[in-house]
Amino acid sequence: MRYLRWLALPLWVVGLYLALIWVPDVRALGVSYRIFYIHLGMAWTALLAMTANFVLSLLVLVRRKGREETDRFAQASAEAGILMTTATLASGMLWARVAWGAYWTWDPRLTTTAIMWFLYIGYLLLRQAMDDDTKRRVYSAVYALIVFVDVPIVYLSVRWWRSIHPVVFTESGMNITPQMLVAVIVFFFATLVLALDLIYLRAFQEKVHQELQKRRARRLGRLGY
Amino acid sequence: MLKAAVWLFWKDLSLELRGRELLLPAAVFGLIIAMLYGFAFDGGQQALRPMFPGLLWLGIFFSSFLAVGRAFGVEAEAGQQLLMAPIDRGAIFLAKLALNILLTLVLTAVLTPAFALLLGAPLPRATWLFLWTLVLGVVGFAAAGSAMGALTAQTRLRELLLPALLLPFTSPLLLGAVSATSALYGKSPAQLGSWLWLMAVFDGIFILVPLLLFEYLTEV
């Protein structure tokens, strides 16, 4: 897994080349639409990271073996998911300013993404506010499960409320050319590999952090604190 | 499990009846919100009337989270004594949920006429449908509030954390409740049924899922 970052870099270079130079302009949207490649890849990766967080949280609850490790990866995938969600929102807002004339609209996907962002920020806030390690693992896992169930309900409710987001993939087929699809897929893998790399890095950092704290506590104990 | 839940509910209810620690401050806070709306959206009653559904539900949600967050807080402050009782853990959650539902229902019964009075909006003519909307919205909020209350009870600064977790979480419920209430006032009334369904589904899911997961919280 250590070599992931060496894969992320060339993927990003190729992805950027494809998205910014290789793919032709779309007549109606001009240059601005090129941000869409970054946007879509990050949005998919964000959803995958949140799904990974859900699965890992479920594992934390049902499997005692290796609970610490699973929990570290659950936290790391939530963090990567939040990062990707933030980037999705930021790139989407830039594009919306050009295409729709406003940074923010109350479209279902935008609104759902924003609420999802808040819900997973809440996950990190909850983790931060719990002192007991075992409790933090279980409580945040339960929170993650409940929140994951909430996201589709949020989407449904906002969708009934209003919708203007462009739909790229419909039941009748794709609204994009094969050339664009290649760029989309390359960029999706570029962001996915980056996210995986970040998840491993963060989980490892957490491991080191917890180990240091354990040793520090032991040492203070020996010194008589 | 049900018998234990009823006894626990009775315990909390008698505590509340003796002290009125939750309902009174929450109701007063709700009334203050109605006053503040009047100041903040200066424009007299005519201007506020179209916004009444949204203002009412925000008032109910904001004052309710003061009440629902405390249900598990009292147990956290008392230590873990309740967990030593030889009863099904689900009973604890059910009892707290029932208390929260009752508290928020009473709160809503007080606040709704008061909001209508202060904001100058007549209540919808379809009384039964309006009652259904109120009940579905309030029960869902109490259920989500019980779940989040249980999760935040053990944290530092739980009063600060709870709204940050609970309010985005209940956003579909707020959308459903406000849209359903607007529908009763004649704004796209055809959608009323779907909004009521949405709220009912939210209520059902977030009573069941936390009930199933509560066991895990009591094990650690």
Side-chain angles (χ1 to χ4, degrees):
Chain A
M1 281 307 165
R2 189 180 310 172
Y3 303 107
L4 265 180
R5 73 205 55 174
W6 302 116
L7 185 61
L9 192 66
L11 270 175
W12 269 78
V13 172
V14 174
L16 279 173
Y17 169 77
L18 292 180
L20 296 180
I21 297 162
W22 185 64
V23 175
D25 270 354
V26 171
R27 206 174 301 150
L29 294 164
V31 192
S32 75
Y33 98 99
R34 288 172 187 274
I35 206 170
F36 146 85
Y37 295 103
I38 298 169
H39 180 71
L40 194 67
M42 289 193 169
W44 284 352
T45 308
L47 285 180
L48 278 179
M50 298 319 188
T51 313
N53 172 261
F54 170 75
V55 175
L56 290 165
S57 299
L58 200 64
L59 277 178
V60 166
L61 289 186
V62 299
R63 247 187 53 190
R64 295 214 169 201
K65 206 175 133 236
R67 194 180 246 185
E68 287 86 357
E69 183 79 355
T70 318
D71 176 67
R72 283 195 289 269
F73 274 95
Q75 182 194 340
S77 51
E79 283 171 347
I82 290 171
L83 182 73
M84 291 297 167
T85 310
T86 313
T88 306
L89 282 171
S91 57
M93 282 166 88
L94 286 177
W95 181 78
R97 180 68 185 81
V98 177
W100 297 337
Y103 285 109
W104 187 258
T105 60
W106 295 95
D107 166 82
R109 295 190 196 196
L110 266 70
T111 314
T112 308
T113 311
I115 289 175
M116 191 173 87
W117 189 83
F118 279 119
L119 289 171
Y120 282 93
I121 290 284
Y123 174 81
L124 294 187
L125 287 176
L126 181 66
R127 292 187 69 99
Q128 201 186 27
M130 311 267 306
D131 291 322
D132 185 287
D133 285 340
T134 322
K135 274 192 181 146
R136 184 191 314 118
R137 277 174 208 125
V138 173
Y139 277 56
S140 58
V142 168
Y143 177 82
L145 297 191
I146 298 179
V147 156
F148 192 76
V149 178
D150 196 37
V151 172
I153 304 178
V154 172
Y155 180 67
L156 185 71
S157 69
V158 192
R159 191 183 176 131
W160 282 355
W161 191 46
R162 57 192 50 164
S163 178
I164 60 165
H165 193 284
V167 179
V168 178
F169 296 94
T170 60
E171 278 167 24
S172 54
M174 289 173 289
N175 290 336
I176 66 179
T177 63
Q179 208 179 4
M180 288 161 83
L181 188 64
V182 171
V184 164
I185 288 171
V186 170
F187 228 108
F188 168 59
F189 278 107
T191 46
L192 186 66
V193 170
L194 178 70
L196 278 174
D197 184 29
L198 285 174
I199 288 171
Y200 274 95
L201 193 65
R202 277 295 297 140
F204 178 68
Q205 272 182 346
E206 262 315 293
K207 191 176 177 179
V208 173
H209 177 70
Q210 284 167 7
E211 189 61 33
L212 276 176
Q213 271 191 327
K214 237 184 267 172
R215 289 192 187 188
R216 191 153 154 249
R218 236 180 280 149
R219 183 150 185 194
L220 284 174
R222 267 210 301 276
L223 290 172
Y225 278 97
Chain B
M1 175 163 136
L2 223 53
K3 203 174 151 196
V6 171
W7 278 109
L8 279 174
F9 171 67
W10 183 244
K11 176 209 81 146
D12 282 330
L13 187 64
S14 23
L15 271 178
E16 175 59 24
L17 287 176
R18 258 177 244 160
R20 289 180 205 86
E21 277 181 333
L22 300 175
L23 212 48
L24 221 50
V28 171
F29 180 60
L31 293 176
I32 292 172
I33 290 178
M35 296 295 299
L36 293 181
Y37 281 155
F39 299 150
F41 306 109
D42 179 32
Q45 301 199 319
Q46 288 302 326
L48 289 178
R49 197 173 293 176
M51 295 192 283
F52 177 70
L55 295 177
L56 171 70
W57 279 104
L58 277 184
I60 291 176
F61 275 27
F62 283 158
S63 51
S64 292
F65 82 65
L66 287 186
V68 296
R70 292 292 303 158
F72 284 96
V74 290
E75 303 302 340
E77 275 157 28
Q80 306 261 319
Q81 295 154 7
L82 201 54
L83 294 180
M84 292 181 199
I87 49 169
D88 193 319
R89 298 308 173 45
I92 303 175
F93 186 78
L94 270 186
K96 298 292 179 187
L97 175 66
L99 180 77
N100 278 341
I101 290 176
L102 184 72
L103 286 179
T104 41
L105 279 178
V106 174
L107 204 56
T108 309
V110 175
L111 290 183
T112 309
F115 268 62
L117 212 72
L118 284 169
L119 304 179
L123 291 177
R125 236 171 279 150
T127 315
W128 283 109
L129 282 173
F130 185 52
L131 282 179
W132 260 116
T133 310
L134 287 176
V135 168
L136 285 175
V138 163
V139 167
F141 192 82
S146 306
M148 293 298 165
L151 285 170
T152 52
Q154 306 281 333
T155 60
R156 284 173 271 126
L157 307 171
R158 65 168 169 263
E159 274 80 11
L160 280 178
L161 194 55
L162 184 67
L165 302 189
L166 184 56
L167 293 175
F169 186 83
T170 49
S171 51
L173 199 63
L174 182 69
L175 266 183
V178 172
S179 307
T181 313
S182 301
L184 288 172
Y185 281 105
K187 191 186 159 202
S188 48
Q191 287 192 335
L192 177 68
S194 7
W195 289 118
L196 290 180
W197 265 111
L198 181 94
M199 287 197 282
V201 168
F202 185 98
D203 294 9
I205 289 179
F206 292 114
I207 287 173
L208 270 180
V209 173
L211 189 62
L212 292 175
L213 295 176
F214 186 68
E215 183 93 32
Y216 290 108
L217 296 188
T218 59
E219 277 173 3
V220 288

